[in-house]
Amino acid sequence: MNINATLLAQTIMFALFVWFCMKFVWTPIIAALDARRKQIADGLAEAERAKLDLELASKRTSCRTTQTGRTLWFAREAKEKAGDIVANSEKRASEIVEEAKTQAKVEGSRILAGAKAEIDQEVFRAKEHLRTQVSAIALAGASKILGREIDAKAHSDLLDKLVAEI
């Protein structure tokens, strides 16, 4: 068993695994993250627009007063409505952020579980490969030992040769 060949094979398999992840796993994740980022940005922009609308409504209501200095009833209602819009948009923006975080965590755990399963599979394959190699070596040693007559010196010489070959 040549350790250089094993390391080369493992390096090639790792490179293939990285290529596979970059080609088929990374692209959908980035697309999903970009979509969520856009959705969050839209929600924050909506909240900002609602704040500006509230400020404009506030300025307009301060201009619309009666001669006695009291604000008209519709200005007060508009101010309350603008406040509700701002509160709702801020609430929706925070919900979108939390939803995106939750979905990202779920996606990350799914990818991690898949990678762990693939690693376990590779470990199992490597163990099976080593078992077959060990059994082949044991059979080769036994056949060399049994191929000669029973002699302790000959057996020790054959075991020394076998160890030297390995």
Side-chain angles (χ1 to χ4, degrees), residues 85-159:
I85 290 172
V86 169
N88 287 339
S89 62
E90 288 175 350
K91 180 181 173 186
R92 179 64 184 142
S94 66
E95 287 174 358
I96 290 171
V97 169
E98 289 301 318
E99 181 181 313
K101 284 181 185 178
T102 304
Q103 289 178 353
K105 285 179 184 178
V106 167
E107 186 71 20
S109 64
R110 185 186 61 80
I111 290 171
L112 185 62
K116 284 182 181 179
E118 189 170 332
I119 288 170
D120 289 341
Q121 226 175 19
E122 287 295 323
V123 167
F124 179 74
R125 285 187 200 133
K127 285 181 181 179
E128 286 299 315
H129 184 68
L130 285 175
R131 283 185 187 129
T132 47
Q133 286 181 348
V134 167
S135 65
I137 290 171
L139 284 176
S143 67
K144 285 185 179 183
I145 290 173
L146 293 177
R148 286 194 167 175
E149 59 196 43
I150 301 174
D151 183 16
K153 186 171 188 323
H155 289 186
S156 66
D157 290 341
L158 282 174
L159 286 175

